[in-house]
């Protein structure tokens, strides 16, 4: 029971997933900064700027923080145990 | 391997950098809005000087000046997306009998939105107007000016002057009422 709970709380993903998550979060945040500034400047409203930015951040968090199956497609394959002489 | 906590850390670290960049860009964008307000008018209609007793120093009698003025200024151009509010103040600039240059704020107002930024007031001094030397005798005539201070949401404060009396206004003789 506690094993399952811990697995959900930790939400581990594999190495390929890590790489993907880091790329996505960096790129999306940079895009979000640029887009929200342009949107805010165009409408001359700081409210729009931070609204757009917040929307980006919320969607990004939902996409990246939970351990979605897409980030667990390349599990590490361990070598099989070798027989050793006792 | 990456747990939820390290992913939260990863996102929030980049997020704080991006927020700082955004705030910096907003504050820099203020420099794009360089329009200054058209010069307004400030006319002093009446200046009176009365001797009196400031409660703080029971034995000290000093002159108090009372100034009435008409003020019109259109400060709407100062409002842009990064303007939080304006602080506007009327100050009197003169040299007292000791030769000290004084600038005394006699009136101020906070303008919080663009609709209120057209200023048209017939006002009088809001704050006690007195001199350090206790008298306005032999002071030079005073220039009165309307100055503004733009307070942005993010960025630096900027100052400017929106109106000024055409000719300096002399202080009248102190008249004792009793």
């Amino acid at each position: 029971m506690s094993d399952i709970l811990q697995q959900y709380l930790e939400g581990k993903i594999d190495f390929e997933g890590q790489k993907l998550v880091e790329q996505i979060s960096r790129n999306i945040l940079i895009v979000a900064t640029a887009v929200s500034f342009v949107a805010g400047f165009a409408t001359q409203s700081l409210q729009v700027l931070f609204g757009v930015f917040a929307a980006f951040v919320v969607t990004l968090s939902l996409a990246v923080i939970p351990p979605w199956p897409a980030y667990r497609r390349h599990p590490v394959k361990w070598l099989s145990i070798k027989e050793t002489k006792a | 391997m990456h747990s939820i906590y390290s992913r939260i850390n990863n996102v929030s670290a980049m997020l704080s950098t991006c927020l700082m960049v955004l705030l910096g860009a907003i504050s820099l964008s203020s420099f794009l809005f360089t329009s200054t307000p058209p010069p307004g008018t400030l006319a002093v209609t009446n200046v009176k000087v009365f001797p009196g007793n400031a409660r703080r120093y029971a034995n000290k009698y000093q002159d108090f000046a009372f100034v009435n003025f008409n003020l019109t200024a259109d400060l709407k151009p100062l409002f842009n997306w990064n303007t939080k509010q304006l602080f506007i103040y009327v100050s009197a600039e003169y040299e007292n009998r000791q030769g000290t240059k004084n600038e005394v704020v006699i009136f101020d107002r906070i303008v919080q939105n663009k609709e209120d930024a057209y200023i048209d007031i017939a006002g009088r001094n809001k704050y006690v107007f007195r001199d350090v030397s206790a008298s306005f005798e032999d002071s030079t005539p005073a220039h009165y000016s309307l100055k503004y201070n733009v307070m942005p949401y993010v960025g630096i404060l900027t100052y400017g002057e929106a109106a000024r009396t055409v000719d300096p206004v002399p202080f009248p003789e102190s008249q004792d009422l009793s």
Side-chain angles (χ1 to χ4, degrees):
Chain A
M1 177 63 203
S2 70
D3 272 3
I4 299 167
L5 198 66
Q6 191 172 21
Q7 199 191 332
Y8 274 101
L9 279 178
E10 283 188 4
K12 284 185 175 169
I13 58 178
D14 60 47
F15 290 118
E16 290 295 316
Q18 281 179 34
K19 208 174 152 189
L20 195 61
V21 160
E22 274 166 19
Q23 268 176 3
I24 290 175
S25 59
R26 193 185 62 232
N27 293 343
I28 293 292
L29 278 171
I30 290 171
V31 169
T33 310
V35 168
S36 56
F37 185 81
V38 169
F41 195 82
T43 54
Q44 285 290 297
S45 156
L46 287 180
Q47 221 171 341
V48 170
L49 190 156
F50 286 106
V52 171
F53 192 68
F56 267 103
V57 169
V58 169
T59 23
L60 174 69
S61 310
L62 283 177
V64 143
I65 288 172
W68 298 117
Y71 306 132
R72 286 181 289 158
R73 259 191 235 144
H74 306 275
V76 179
K77 291 192 184 79
W78 301 100
L79 293 177
S80 53
I81 302 167
K82 272 184 187 166
E83 288 291 323
T84 46
K85 282 170 193 165
Chain B
M1 275 187 272
H2 257 27
S3 64
I4 280 186
Y5 310 107
S6 57
R7 287 200 294 281
I8 292 174
N9 178 41
N10 185 14
V11 170
S12 62
M14 189 64 189
L15 176 66
S16 61
T17 309
C18 286
L19 265 180
M20 285 301 142
V21 169
L22 264 184
L23 295 180
I26 293 168
S27 72
L28 285 179
S29 79
S30 296
F31 293 109
L32 295 176
F33 305 100
T34 48
S35 58
T36 48
T41 56
L42 173 61
V44 173
T45 50
N46 191 9
V47 183
K48 284 201 168 98
V49 177
F50 298 112
N53 172 240
R55 263 173 288 168
R56 187 179 172 130
Y57 307 104
N59 299 323
K60 186 180 174 189
Y61 279 83
Q62 56 182 332
D63 281 348
F64 292 85
F66 294 86
V67 182
N68 289 329
F69 56 86
N70 290 332
L71 174 63
T72 52
D74 187 7
L75 301 176
K76 280 180 187 156
L78 292 175
F79 274 87
N80 59 52
W81 75 327
N82 194 18
T83 308
K84 185 178 184 222
Q85 60 185 17
L86 303 178
F87 179 71
I88 60 171
Y89 52 102
V90 174
S91 60
E93 298 150 21
Y94 65 99
E95 214 171 285
N96 71 4
R97 60 176 169 185
Q98 295 163 338
T100 317
K101 273 199 175 136
N102 285 328
E103 194 176 332
V104 185
V105 174
I106 60 171
F107 178 88
D108 64 21
R109 177 178 276 189
I110 295 169
V111 181
Q112 286 185 309
N113 52 51
K114 198 172 181 175
E115 288 75 49
D116 299 336
Y118 184 77
I119 312 292
D120 186 9
I121 347 175
R124 60 187 183 86
N125 57 316
K126 187 170 159 186
Y127 303 113
V128 177
F129 184 14
R130 58 187 185 205
D131 194 83
V132 187
S133 68
S135 164
F136 289 102
E137 218 180 310
D138 298 331
S139 293
T140 60
H143 264 295
Y144 294 84
S145 63
L146 170 72
K147 286 172 183 151
Y148 58 81
N149 175 210
V150 185
M151 299 181 183
Y153 285 106
V154 202
I156 56 163
L157 300 172
T158 45
Y159 294 84
E161 190 177 279
R164 172 172 276 273
T165 47
V166 182
D167 297 310
V169 185
F171 289 102
E173 289 276 303
S174 173
Q175 38 182 307
D176 205 340
L177 292 175
S178 55

